[in-house]
Amino acid sequence: SHRLIEDKNYDEAVPYLNTILSMRPKDFRANYQFGQICRTRRECALSRAYFAAAEAVASGDEETKAIKDALSQFARDCG
């Protein structure tokens, strides 16, 4: 799914992310990526929910920085 996101094939990435989240609802990367997809689609309420889930399970400096940056971008895009 990561490659699909990098290539902006969001419609193709969504089923993979849904599968991951159905098995591991607290998966940081899947929640983070879903939040990014929803943000780019201006689905702000969904984006915020996925980012909140990612933020709740973020561990380590890399994930913490990633979610901080994503929330900053979210604030610019969604208010």
Side-chain angles (χ1 to χ4, degrees), residues 11 21 43 50 53-54 73 75-76:
D11 291 336
L21 290 176
E43 297 170 346
Y50 284 115
Q73 184 67 43
R76 285 191 293 276

Side-chain angles (χ1 to χ4, degrees), residues 27-73:
D27 185 272
F28 172 82
R29 190 62 51 194
N31 278 294
Y32 171 83
Q33 290 177 338
F34 238 136
Q36 293 286 46
I37 289 171
C38 292
R39 181 188 54 77
T40 63
R41 292 177 172 175
R42 298 300 190 259
E43 297 170 346
C44 295
L46 277 174
S47 178
R48 181 66 187 116
Y50 284 115
F51 284 148
E55 186 176 32
V57 298
S59 63
D61 292 341
E62 184 178 327
E63 289 180 358
T64 301
K65 181 181 180 335
I67 197 64
K68 180 182 175 192
D69 292 346
L71 289 171
S72 179
Q73 184 67 43

